[in-house]
Amino acid sequence: MAMVYCTDCGKKISESAHACPTCGAPNRVNPAAGEKKWWIAFLLCWFLGMIGAHRYYLRQTASAVVMTILTCTIVGMLVTAIWNFVDWVILLVHAGDDAYVNKIAAAHSPVVDIPAPVVKKSAPKSKPAKKKAK
């Protein structure tokens, strides 16, 4: 697994990482790993928004599952219709802004933070005091 540098903060990250674990910026070295396109989210919202397809695409799986379950009932269908319309308008307002959908996707992607190993430093050895000659 190759390591690359984050284009935003300069820290080393895995080449296959979707986003930088330090700053959350999408991995621009390997754009296929994490880049999302706004127009795909927009079309998913337009055609399959009632079941939350655009939210699955943007890695918002918890709210996508809620939308899918709510769509199974008549009252829930009304709720998800309004919810979908609001999402559709938000995506329309941010038309052409891939950075917006990538920020959403990066915020909801699982980031494993591996702590750095703790290195214990030993106290410096003190030199024995020299005896003064009289």
Side-chain angles (χ1 to χ4, degrees), residues 36 41 44 48-69 105 108:
K36 301 292 182 183
L44 286 171
L48 300 170
M50 291 289 286
I51 59 171
H54 60 291
R55 289 186 170 264
Y56 285 112
Y57 177 69
L58 295 176
R59 297 188 191 114
Q60 297 175 320
T61 52
S63 60
V65 169
V66 170
M67 284 183 87
T68 304
I69 292 171
H108 291 88

Side-chain angles (χ1 to χ4, degrees), residues 22-129:
T22 306
C23 66
N27 185 358
R28 289 181 182 82
V29 175
N30 186 5
E35 294 287 323
K36 301 292 182 183
K37 302 294 181 194
W38 78 269
W39 59 272
I40 294 175
F42 181 79
L43 290 176
L44 286 171
C45 186
W46 180 259
F47 292 110
L48 300 170
M50 291 289 286
I51 59 171
H54 60 291
R55 289 186 170 264
Y56 285 112
Y57 177 69
L58 295 176
R59 297 188 191 114
Q60 297 175 320
T61 52
S63 60
V65 169
V66 170
M67 284 183 87
T68 304
I69 292 171
L70 281 174
T71 305
C72 296
T73 65
I74 299 297
V75 175
M77 201 176 290
L78 294 172
V79 171
T80 55
I82 296 167
W83 191 356
N84 183 45
F85 179 72
V86 170
D87 283 350
W88 183 78
V89 169
I90 290 171
L91 287 169
L92 186 63
V93 167
H94 292 283
D97 190 6
D98 287 340
Y100 175 75
V101 292
N102 284 316
K103 187 169 92 174
I104 292 172
H108 291 88
S109 64
V111 176
V112 179
D113 189 19
I114 302 171
V118 177
V119 178
K120 294 183 179 180
K121 294 182 180 179
S122 60
K125 295 180 181 178
S126 60
K127 295 178 182 177

